Amino acid sequence: MAEPTPSLAPARPPTGPRVWNNPRARAIIYQVLVLGGVIGAAAYLIDNTLTNLAERSIRSGFSFIWHEAGFAISEALIDYQPNHSYVRAFIAGLLNTLKVGLLGIVLVTILGIIIGIARLSTNWLVARLASVYVETFRNVPLLLQLYLWYSLLTEMLPGGRDALSLFTAFYLNKSGLMYPVPVYDGIHPFMIVAFLIGCVGAYAWGRYATRRHEATGVPTPRFWPSVGFVLGLPLVVWLIGGAPTAIDVPQMERFRFVGGWHVSIEFIALLLGLVVYTGAFVAETVRAGILSVSRGQTEAALSLGLRRGLVLRLVLLPQALRVIMPPLTSQYLNLMKNSSLAVAIGYPDLVAVANTTLNQTGQAIEAIAVIMAVYLTISLAISGFMNWYNKRVALVER
Amino acid sequence: MINLAERRAASGPVIQMAGVNKWYGEFHVLKNINLEVRSGERVVVCGPSGSGKSTMIRCINRLEEHQKGRIVVDGIELIADLKQIDAVRREIGMVFQHFNLFPHMTVLENLTLAPMWVRNTPRKEAEDAAMAYLERVKIPEQAHKFPGQLSGGQQQRVAIARSLCMKPKIMLFDEPTSALDPEMIKEVLDVMIELAQGGMTMICVTHEMGFARTVADSMVFMDGGEIVEKAPPTEFFKNPKSERTKLFLSQILH
Amino acid sequence: MAPVSSVVAGSAPRPPADSIGVLGWLRTRLFSSVLNSILTILCIGLLVWIVPPLIDWMILDAVWSAAPPEVCRAAEGACWALLHEKARLILFGRYPYVEQWRPLLAMTVLIVAIALSCNRNFWRPWLAGVWAGTLALFGLLMWGGVLGMTYVENTLWGGLPLTMILSVFGMVGSFPLAVALALGRRSRMPIIHALSVGYIELIRGVPLISVLFMASFMFPLFLPSGVKVDELLRAQVAIILFTAAYLAEVIRGGLQSIPRGQDESAKSLGLNYWQTTTMIVLPQALRAVIPPIVNTFISLFKDTSLVAIVSLFDLLGSLRLALADPLWRNYFIEGYVFVALIYFFFCFFMSKYSQYLESQLQTGHRP
C-alpha cells in the first residue's frame, strides 16, 4: 500500500535486566547449565573410574581383544578355537545372536499372523484358544519361560542314541537336533544367484504388470508369475546342473551321530522361548491392525464390485499394514534384544561371550561397551530400515 | 484517507502495528501490516481463508512472532523479552475458534486459574468475580460442570468469560463462531455485542457480517497477507474501494 | 380346548430354528462353513489330547500333601509336596524364617495401596501421601531394627517382596526422570532436545541385561573408592534408568495428544511455561496415557525377573535357589508353574485393569 508507515508513539522502556528476560538468551542459559551439569557429572564419574581402575591396576582400552581368548564356544558359524582371539569370539557370538534373532523374526511373523487372525475368527473355539495362548504367554516373564523350556528339553528328551527320530532323517535328543542337508554341489552357488535374479525378475514383473494394467486395462496376474521367477529359476538351474540329489543324512553310529547338520538344545530352547513369547505380542499387533480398518471400508469396496481377494489386497491390507508396521518393528527389536537372555541358558550369543570375557579379563567397561554398541547398531539398523519402509508405504498410498 | 476521528477522538491508539512482516519459511504471510486501534474501538477483520487474519491477531499477543516491524500494545512494545510479553498478555484476552477450554478442570476452575496464578487473586475473590462473569454470559448454573458436558455455544461463552476474568483492556476474537452449529451462533454473538456496547476494545476475525454491521467501528479487509482496505462499515459495505473487496463481499453476502 | 393353530397364527413370525438358541449359536460360531467345521473338530481333538492328561497330572494323580520326594517319585502326577517344602523359600527368599511375617505384612500393605490406587475416585493428591506412607512402612517392616524387630540387611531380601520392591520403586523412581526426558524431547532447545533423544534412544536400543551388567560391574567403578553400594541398590538404579526411557516415550505420546490450542490459550491468559506445563499440559497428558503406563508397569514387573541373572533372589531367583536342592530338582515343572501362576495373576489383573481404564477414559463422562 502506498500509505506511509505511521510513526509509533514512544513505548515505555522495558524494565528489569534485559538479558535474562530475552527468551533466546534464557534458552541458551538453560542449555549451558544443563550441558555443564551433564559434563560435570560425566567428568566426575570418569575421574572416579580412572582412579579405581588405576587402584585395581586394570589397563583400560581395547588392546585385549587381540589376545588369545582361551575359552571354547560350543557352537559357532565361523571356525573358532580357544586359541583364537577375543575379537573372533565376539564375532562368533554376534553371528549366533543374529542367527537366533533373524530366524526368530521370520518364525514369529508367521506365528503372530496365524494367532492374530485366529483371535478374530468367527469360530468361537478357535478364537478362544488363540486368546488363551496370548494371555498365557505374554503374562509370564520370558526368562521364566526360557528356563522352563530349557529344563523341559534337557530333562525330558532322551539322551544319546535313544534320540527321537522322524523319517530316520531328523533326530532330536538332549544335545540338540540333527537334520539332513544337501551335499555341497558346484551348482548351489549358481542356484543362489538364480534366486536373487528371480527376485529382481519378480519385482520387474510386478512393475510390468502394473504398467500393462494401466495401459491396456487388462489386469495382469502377479502372484504366480512372481512365484515362478523366485522359485522356478533356481529349479531350472538345478536341473541344468544335473539335478544333484545327494543328501547328507545324520547317521547313528556307535556312540554319536555323524553327518547332517546340528543345532544345540540351547538354541532350540532360546528360539522356542523367544518365538512363543513374542508371538503373543505380534498376534495382538496383527489383531489391532486388522480391527483398525473399519467395516465400512470392506462394505464400500464390496459395493464397488471388487472381489474379496482384491478388497483384501487393495483396500484392507495397505491400511492395516500401516497400523501394524510400527509396533511390529518394535516387537522385532524386542525379540532381538531379548535374545540376550541366551546368557541364562548357556547359548553362546554375544552377551554370553562378552560375559565370559568380562569375567576372564576384568575389562568390564569394554565388554559392556561392545554389547551396547552392537545392540544399538542392530536396533538403529532395523528401525532405520522400517522408517524407510514406512515412508515408502505412506508415499505409495497417497 | 481514513477518518477515525469521528468517534472517541480524544482516546489515543492502544494497539499500533507498523510495517509488520512475517514469513513461514519462504511463505510471506504478513506483508507490511500497518494498523492502529484506538481504545474502545471495535475492529472487524475479514478476508478469504489463508489471508493472514488469524496470524495478524495472534501476533498481537505474541502467539506468533513477527520478524519485521513494530507492535506496541498499550505502550508496551512486543520484543523478545518475557516480562514485556507477559505484561502484554495480561492486558489482552483471546477467544479461539475451538474454545480451548481446559477439559480437566471445571468451568469455575477454568475461570479462576489465571487470576489466581497470574494476578495472585485470592481464591474467594477470584471465584466471586468468575461467578459474576458467568452471570454476564448467562450460564452461572454450569459453573461446576466440566467443559465436555457443555454445548459448543456454552463452551464459547465460558471461554469469553474466562478471558474477561483477567480484566483485559483488549479482546481478540479468532473466528469465535465458525466451529459452532448454526443455532448456537446467536447466543455467542449476543454476548459479544453486549461486550462491545460496554466499551471494550475488540478485534474480531469473523465472517458474521450482521454482527460487523451492528458493532464495528471499522472494517479491515485482508487478502494475500496485506490489509487491502480499512473503512467504517457503512462505507465498507456500500462502496468498497478495492476490486478484491468487492469480489469478496459479493461472495460472502450473496 | 382352544385350537393350537390359532395361537400359532396369532403369534409373531419366528426366525428359523437353526438361527437362534443353542443350535443357532453352534451353527454360527462353530460350524458356519466346511473350513470352520474342520477347525472346530481339530480344536476339539487338540483339547481332548491335552486337557484330560493335564488334569490327571495336575490334580487327580498329584501328590497334594506334604511328603518326602520318594513319595513323589512313586506317584504319576505332579508333586505339589514341593510347595509344602519350598513355598516359603520361593516366596520370601533367604529372609530369616521366623521373621517372614514381616515381608508378608509388607506385601499386604503394598497390595492394599495398589488396590486403592486402582479406584479412580481416589485419584486425589492425598493418594501420593498414602504412597509415601506405604513405602516408608514397607521399608520399616523389611529392614526392621526398631520396635523390637531384628534388623534384616537387604542382601537377605528375596522372593515376591523383592520383585515388588524392584518394580514399584522402579516405577516411582523413574517417573520424574521420564517426565523430564519427555519434556526435554519436546523442547525446542537443541542441546536439551539432543540430550533427551540421545538418552532415550540409547537405552531403548540396548537390552536390559546389558544395563544390569553395567550396574553390576561398572557402578562400583563410577563411585569414589571406599563407597560401597549393594547389589540390590545397583539393580534398582539400573531398572530405574532403563524404565525411564520407555516411560518417557509413553509420556511423550500423551504430550503429543494434547492439542496446541491448550498451550496457546494458557499462554494468552498470561500463564508462563512452567505454569502451563504443570497445570494444563501435564495433567491432561498423564491422564491420557494411564493405560499405557500400566502396560509399562506390567513389562517392568516381568523384566525384574532378569535380576536373577545378576545373582539377586527375586521370585524367579528364589525359585532357582529352591530347585538347586538335589532332592527336589526333578520337580522343576511344578516350581515353574507355581511361580508362573503368581506372575500371571499379577500381570493378567493389571492388563485387564488397563483395558478397563482405557474404555473408561474413552467414554467417561468425566474427562
Side-chain angles (χ1 to χ4, degrees):
Chain A
M1 279 171 84
E3 200 182 353
T5 306
S7 61
L8 288 174
R12 255 180 270 148
T15 51
R18 281 288 301 275
V19 176
W20 176 240
N21 284 332
N22 183 313
R24 283 187 196 91
R26 199 179 269 202
I28 290 170
I29 294 168
Y30 278 139
Q31 295 187 73
V32 167
L33 285 177
V34 169
L35 195 63
V38 170
I39 291 175
Y44 174 71
L45 294 180
I46 290 171
D47 181 57
N48 282 338
T49 308
L50 291 178
T51 319
N52 285 321
L53 287 177
E55 263 174 29
R56 295 170 204 194
S57 56
I58 299 174
R59 278 199 26 228
S60 57
F62 280 95
S63 56
F64 78 95
I65 61 169
W66 306 110
H67 301 171
E68 185 182 312
F71 57 85
I73 292 179
S74 54
E75 52 185 319
L77 292 171
I78 51 169
D79 177 38
Y80 170 83
Q81 302 300 330
N83 60 355
H84 281 138
S85 64
Y86 282 112
V87 70
R88 203 174 174 99
F90 276 127
I91 290 171
L94 171 60
L95 289 176
N96 280 339
T97 295
L98 291 177
K99 177 169 112 182
V100 76
L102 296 180
L103 194 55
I105 284 176
V106 172
L107 293 180
V108 89
T109 310
I110 298 168
L111 180 69
I113 289 174
I114 292 173
I115 302 288
I117 291 174
R119 280 207 69 180
L120 293 169
S121 169
T122 51
N123 187 316
W124 181 83
L125 205 52
V126 171
R128 263 303 96 150
L129 282 178
S131 75
V132 167
Y133 166 84
V134 168
E135 294 297 354
T136 308
F137 285 100
R138 72 169 181 178
N139 283 323
V140 173
L142 172 60
L143 184 60
L144 192 157
Q145 295 187 36
L146 281 179
Y147 279 138
L148 182 55
W149 286 122
Y150 182 60
S151 304
L152 273 176
L153 289 174
T154 48
E155 300 281 330
M156 299 291 170
L157 283 176
R161 290 172 50 88
D162 302 328
L164 306 173
S165 91
L166 184 69
F167 311 130
T168 61
F170 295 85
Y171 293 94
L172 183 65
N173 67 14
K174 270 188 205 312
S175 68
L177 174 73
M178 276 68 62
Y179 58 95
V181 281
V183 175
Y184 178 79
D185 187 280
I187 201 68
H188 288 158
F190 292 101
M191 285 171 69
I192 293 173
V193 172
F195 171 78
L196 294 177
I197 293 174
C199 290
V200 174
Y203 176 73
W205 176 264
R207 299 281 301 262
Y208 165 75
T210 309
R211 228 169 321 149
R212 201 183 122 175
H213 183 192
E214 283 166 2
T216 64
V218 183
T220 312
R222 298 148 173 276
F223 183 73
W224 290 112
S226 300
V227 170
F229 271 110
V230 173
L231 297 182
L233 220 49
L235 192 71
V236 169
V237 170
W238 180 68
L239 288 172
I240 291 170
T245 51
I247 289 180
D248 182 8
V249 181
Q251 299 287 326
M252 214 187 293
E253 289 204 344
R254 279 189 68 181
F255 298 110
R256 58 193 196 98
F257 287 86
V258 292
W261 281 7
H262 168 261
V263 287
S264 70
I265 209 71
E266 288 82 12
F267 175 81
I268 296 172
L270 181 63
L271 186 66
L272 197 61
L274 286 173
V275 169
V276 166
Y277 179 76
T278 318
F281 291 90
V282 173
E284 284 301 273
T285 303
V286 169
R287 171 170 170 262
I290 295 173
L291 282 178
S292 76
V293 184
S294 68
R295 242 190 113 70
Q297 293 287 313
T298 316
E299 287 167 357
L302 285 175
S303 68
L304 284 172
L306 290 174
R307 279 178 294 111
R308 286 246 162 220
L310 282 178
V311 171
L312 191 68
R313 197 181 96 203
L314 297 177
V315 179
L316 300 185
L317 269 187
Q319 296 188 53
L321 270 185
R322 198 178 51 180
V323 177
I324 291 173
M325 278 325 274
L328 188 61
T329 308
S330 71
Q331 287 311 326
Y332 288 164
L333 287 173
N334 282 346
L335 186 143
M336 214 64 194
K337 286 184 282 176
N338 283 336
S339 73
S340 61
L341 296 183
V343 69
I345 56 170
Y347 173 72
D349 80 323
L350 177 75
V351 174
V353 170
N355 194 30
T356 312
T357 307
L358 188 160
N359 287 326
Q360 267 187 13
T361 62
Q363 305 276 6
I365 300 177
E366 292 82 356
I368 291 167
V370 168
I371 301 178
M372 289 193 159
V374 167
Y375 275 101
L376 205 56
T377 312
I378 294 175
S379 298
L380 291 179
I382 293 184
S383 58
F385 172 76
M386 285 301 174
N387 283 345
W388 169 82
Y389 175 82
N390 285 340
K391 254 182 212 139
R392 240 183 68 104
V393 171
L395 280 180
V396 169
E397 269 176 15
R398 266 174 214 159
Chain B
M1 75 183 200
I2 299 156
N3 182 14
L4 280 174
E6 54 189 48
R7 273 170 183 272
R8 297 182 191 82
S11 50
V14 70
I15 299 173
Q16 296 165 288
M17 302 177 86
V20 172
N21 279 277
K22 180 173 176 61
W23 290 263
Y24 285 132
E26 288 291 306
F27 179 57
H28 201 172
V29 267
L30 293 181
K31 299 177 185 161
N32 200 31
I33 300 290
N34 294 304
L35 182 71
E36 284 203 0
V37 179
R38 278 161 201 289
S39 184
E41 185 175 350
R42 276 93 52 158
V43 181
V44 168
V45 183
C46 60
S49 65
S51 59
K53 311 171 299 253
S54 288
T55 312
M56 182 183 79
I57 67 165
R58 286 157 63 88
C59 279
I60 296 174
N61 70 348
R62 195 75 166 192
L63 287 180
E64 306 278 355
E65 199 173 319
H66 59 281
Q67 286 138 326
K68 250 182 87 185
R70 301 177 65 191
I71 302 177
V72 175
V73 178
D74 198 25
I76 308 166
E77 176 155 15
L78 276 169
I79 49 170
D81 183 298
L82 295 171
K83 278 261 166 61
Q84 308 263 84
I85 296 169
D86 286 347
V88 166
R89 285 187 182 151
R90 279 196 294 269
E91 303 304 327
I92 302 181
M94 183 155 184
V95 176
F96 298 84
Q97 182 179 0
H98 295 287
F99 331 136
N100 293 347
L101 293 177
F102 306 130
H104 59 305
M105 299 175 169
T106 63
V107 166
L108 193 63
E109 284 165 346
N110 263 283
L111 264 63
T112 55
L113 176 80
M116 284 170 63
W117 289 92
V118 180
R119 293 238 191 262
N120 296 331
T121 315
R123 171 187 281 276
K124 182 79 183 64
E125 210 175 294
E127 281 180 354
D128 290 346
M131 285 313 293
Y133 282 111
L134 282 180
E135 305 260 356
R136 252 179 87 179
V137 299
K138 303 184 182 64
I139 35 175
E141 72 283 0
Q142 312 287 3
H144 297 287
K145 286 194 182 162
F146 284 89
Q149 296 166 289
L150 306 186
S151 73
Q154 290 171 325
Q155 289 195 45
Q156 194 60 298
R157 284 185 279 156
V158 171
I160 295 173
R162 180 176 70 176
S163 293
L164 292 176
C165 282
M166 285 293 286
K167 305 202 168 53
K169 291 185 180 159
I170 302 157
M171 285 286 286
L172 305 176
F173 292 85
D174 188 0
E175 308 208 21
T177 55
S178 29
L180 294 176
D181 291 336
E183 72 271 20
M184 293 171 183
I185 292 178
K186 188 175 175 298
E187 65 189 57
V188 171
L189 289 181
D190 284 347
V191 169
M192 288 168 65
I193 290 169
E194 200 198 307
L195 198 60
Q197 284 160 353
M200 174 67 78
T201 312
M202 293 164 72
I203 303 184
C204 309
V205 173
T206 182
H207 291 158
E208 295 295 333
M209 288 305 142
F211 168 77
R213 282 206 178 90
T214 321
V215 304
D217 295 313
S218 45
M219 297 293 298
V220 168
F221 174 67
M222 287 185 74
D223 191 15
E226 319 176 279
I227 295 184
V228 177
E229 193 160 345
K230 181 178 179 188
T234 41
E235 204 180 315
F236 182 82
F237 288 111
K238 249 188 218 135
N239 46 23
K241 295 203 173 49
S242 147
E243 281 307 312
R244 285 196 273 180
T245 317
K246 276 179 201 156
L247 180 67
F248 175 75
L249 285 177
S250 72
Q251 282 164 346
I252 200 168
L253 298 174
H254 309 296
Chain C
M1 200 181 174
V4 176
S5 63
S6 73
V7 177
V8 172
S11 68
R14 304 268 299 145
D18 63 355
S19 69
I20 52 165
V22 177
L23 209 61
W25 186 87
L26 284 175
R27 214 183 121 83
T28 52
R29 305 300 300 273
L30 293 178
F31 300 101
S32 61
S33 66
V34 178
L35 177 68
N36 263 333
S37 306
I38 295 171
L39 284 174
T40 303
I41 289 164
L42 282 178
C43 287
I44 292 173
L46 187 74
L47 289 174
V48 168
W49 184 51
I50 290 179
V51 174
L54 198 65
I55 291 177
D56 283 346
W57 180 82
M58 280 188 73
I59 300 167
L60 300 179
D61 297 338
V63 177
W64 284 94
S65 55
E70 295 78 48
V71 177
C72 284
R73 210 163 304 142
E76 296 268 304
C79 178
W80 301 119
L82 171 87
L83 298 181
H84 284 280
E85 181 73 18
K86 300 286 186 191
R88 282 177 68 170
L89 177 60
I90 297 172
L91 284 176
F92 302 114
R94 297 177 303 156
Y95 205 89
Y97 197 80
V98 289
E99 300 285 342
Q100 282 178 1
W101 61 272
R102 280 157 51 184
L104 183 64
L105 185 59
M107 244 161 43
T108 314
V109 170
L110 198 59
I111 290 175
V112 168
I114 292 174
L116 272 182
S117 312
C118 287
N119 189 331
R120 293 179 62 210
N121 294 328
F122 296 154
W123 291 357
R124 294 285 138 84
W126 54 259
L127 195 61
V130 169
W131 269 98
T134 304
L135 296 182
L137 187 60
F138 193 94
L140 185 79
L141 281 166
M142 291 299 286
W143 264 304
V146 287
L147 302 173
M149 293 187 289
T150 49
Y151 174 71
V152 179
E153 58 177 280
N154 55 21
T155 47
L156 290 176
W157 297 5
L160 190 53
L162 190 73
T163 296
M164 293 180 91
I165 292 170
L166 287 170
S167 34
V168 169
F169 278 88
M171 200 70 194
V172 174
S174 64
F175 210 86
L177 182 57
V179 170
L181 285 169
L183 290 174
R185 191 165 187 168
R186 304 240 314 154
S187 167
R188 265 172 287 163
M189 301 182 212
I191 292 175
I192 289 179
H193 175 81
L195 284 173
S196 309
V197 172
Y199 181 85
I200 292 172
E201 294 305 329
L202 172 75
I203 295 289
R204 277 163 29 106
V206 301
L208 172 57
I209 189 71
S210 65
V211 183
L212 282 171
F213 276 159
M214 193 171 111
S216 200
F217 298 110
M218 281 164 69
F219 279 6
L221 294 175
F222 286 161
L223 298 170
S225 52
V227 180
K228 289 270 180 291
V229 181
D230 62 64
E231 191 71 44
L232 174 59
L233 185 57
R234 276 186 251 160
Q236 182 71 79
V237 170
I239 284 174
I240 288 175
L241 293 178
F242 184 78
T243 308
Y246 287 84
L247 197 55
E249 283 298 272
V250 169
I251 293 172
R252 184 169 72 108
L255 292 174
Q256 268 167 351
S257 74
I258 306 303
R260 252 183 50 164
Q262 291 291 308
D263 192 62
E264 287 175 351
S265 68
K267 269 191 197 155
S268 75
L269 284 172
L271 299 176
N272 63 28
Y273 173 82
W274 290 111
Q275 289 171 331
T276 307
T277 302
T278 55
M279 293 192 294
I280 306 300
V281 179
L282 269 182
Q284 296 185 57
L286 292 181
R287 193 172 287 224
V289 292
I290 290 173
I293 288 178
V294 175
N295 290 337
T296 309
F297 184 71
I298 297 174
S299 300
L300 170 61
F301 188 76
K302 288 184 294 175
D303 280 347
T304 54
S305 61
L306 264 63
V307 300
I309 298 180
V310 290
S311 58
L312 280 174
F313 298 101
D314 73 319
L315 192 51
L316 187 56
S318 308
L319 171 68
R320 306 263 304 160
L321 197 64
L323 292 178
D325 183 344
L327 285 176
W328 294 96
R329 60 180 295 258
N330 282 338
Y331 308 103
F332 65 92
I333 298 181
E334 290 82 343
Y336 283 118
V337 166
F338 174 63
V339 169
L341 278 175
I342 297 176
Y343 277 111
F344 179 85
F345 173 78
F346 278 100
C347 297
F348 184 75
F349 163 74
M350 285 190 285
S351 73
K352 287 291 160 221
Y353 174 68
S354 145
Q355 284 165 16
Y356 155 80
L357 265 188
E358 201 157 16
S359 63
Q360 284 286 300
L361 291 176
Q362 264 168 16
T363 58
H365 5 271
R366 251 196 69 167

